[in-house]
Amino acid sequence: MRTNFNILNLILISLGGLALMFIVAPLLGMFLNTTPAEIFETTQDKEVQQSIWLTLSVSFASTLVFAIAAIPLSYLLARKEFFAKKLVLGIIDLPIVIPHSAAGIAILGFISRDSLIGQVADRFGVSLVGNPIGIALAMAFVSIPYLITAARDGFVAVPIRLEKAALNLGASPARVFFSISLPLASRNIVSGMILMFARGMSEFGAVVIVAYHPMITPVLIYERFGAFGLNYARPVSVVFIIVCLIFFAALRMLSRERPRR
């Protein structure tokens, strides 16, 4: 029995190591093939700086704006039962499973000058295509499921008895939501917002169809690879991966479990 157990452990460790190596090896190879001088030179490149700033700021803004509607929707999905709820849940997950080029085509049709939204924006002198607003919409479309799912899980974990007790004591539903439900689900909501932000800033397929210019960093990497080759695109990728790792680390720190007492 002990021999079988050790063999099983050896198999699990070997397979796990292969899976981990599959993730680490390409990234490690890219870092090892990029010199510190190339990384430093890339960080001084104005075009790279502007693209990273555009990527971070647009993704951050889209996360904040869409959170205003996504959090109430998550609460409804966690607390209410209604007709076609499963269909709604499936629709929310749809942007994750469809090709992101198809998502970009869908967003382009939604905001082009022929659409209702595009015509309204035109009246204010704004063209959403090729605009940071269009980029924000494309980022939000592919990343908002992560926020809705995380926030819904957070609201589900809030004990219903606490909400009912507050209601029985005379608190209004709005006060119960803002003083009990929202604070207790805040850890999941923050994690979902960070995940939405991180996923949005890494989006390429949907954004490149809606707005090639101004360039976010994933589009800039693609443009430099197509125009100058791998050696010119690699340092930009390394710098952007470092930025992504910083936010991924923040996500892990904020979403870690509370210590059990």
Side-chain angles (χ1 to χ4, degrees):
M1 178 67 74
R2 183 179 179 81
T3 302
N4 290 338
F5 176 77
N6 290 335
I7 291 175
L8 176 63
N9 271 354
L10 183 62
I11 293 172
L12 293 177
I13 292 172
S14 299
L15 293 176
L18 285 175
L20 188 61
M21 186 61 68
F22 177 71
I23 298 172
V24 172
L27 298 175
L28 187 62
M30 188 164 60
F31 275 82
L32 291 178
N33 283 294
T34 307
T35 65
E38 289 176 324
I39 294 176
F40 179 77
E41 184 181 352
T42 302
T43 59
Q44 304 303 308
D45 188 327
K46 293 293 182 185
E47 190 177 26
V48 174
Q49 292 176 3
Q50 290 171 359
S51 74
I52 290 178
W53 168 248
L54 177 68
T55 306
L56 297 179
S57 59
V58 171
S59 183
F60 185 73
S62 69
T63 300
L64 289 181
V65 170
F66 281 88
I68 296 172
I71 293 172
L73 174 60
S74 303
Y75 180 76
L76 290 175
L77 292 172
R79 284 290 181 261
K80 307 296 182 183
E81 294 296 330
F82 52 87
F83 175 73
K85 181 178 178 179
K86 290 185 177 178
L87 176 62
V88 172
L89 292 173
I91 291 173
I92 289 170
D93 291 334
L94 203 54
I96 298 176
V97 298
I98 65 174
H100 287 181
S101 54
I105 295 294
I107 292 294
L108 183 61
F110 186 63
I111 65 174
S112 67
R113 291 184 173 179
D114 297 333
S115 68
L116 177 61
I117 293 179
Q119 290 174 5
V120 171
D122 258 0
R123 291 183 181 178
F124 291 94
V126 177
S127 175
L128 298 178
V129 179
N131 187 292
I133 298 175
I135 296 174
L137 292 174
M139 286 179 172
F141 182 81
V142 300
S143 60
I144 198 170
Y146 298 98
L147 170 57
I148 295 175
T149 301
R152 178 168 58 92
D153 292 343
F155 285 124
V156 167
V158 175
I160 296 178
R161 68 177 186 280
L162 296 180
E163 296 175 345
K164 289 184 175 178
L167 289 171
N168 291 335
L169 291 172
S172 65
R175 184 173 182 183
V176 171
F177 176 78
F178 285 107
S179 62
I180 295 178
S181 307
L182 194 59
L184 291 179
S186 60
R187 182 178 291 270
N188 285 66
I189 293 172
V190 171
S191 295
M193 291 180 69
I194 293 174
L195 193 55
M196 179 180 174
F197 167 63
R199 179 63 192 85
M201 70 179 184
S202 66
E203 177 56 23
F204 168 77
V207 172
V208 75
I209 290 176
V210 173
Y212 197 90
H213 292 281
M215 280 191 191
I216 62 169
T217 311
V219 177
L220 178 65
I221 293 169
Y222 173 76
E223 197 267 344
R224 291 200 171 183
F225 175 71
F228 306 107
L230 181 61
N231 290 336
Y232 207 66
R234 187 186 289 131
V236 185
S237 304
V238 169
V239 171
F240 191 55
I241 285 174
I242 292 172
V243 174
C244 292
L245 286 175
I246 291 172
F247 286 102
F248 182 75
L251 168 68
R252 286 300 187 193
M253 289 176 64
L254 289 172
S255 62
R256 64 186 178 188
E257 294 183 356
R258 293 185 178 94
R260 296 180 182 276
R261 296 179 178 178

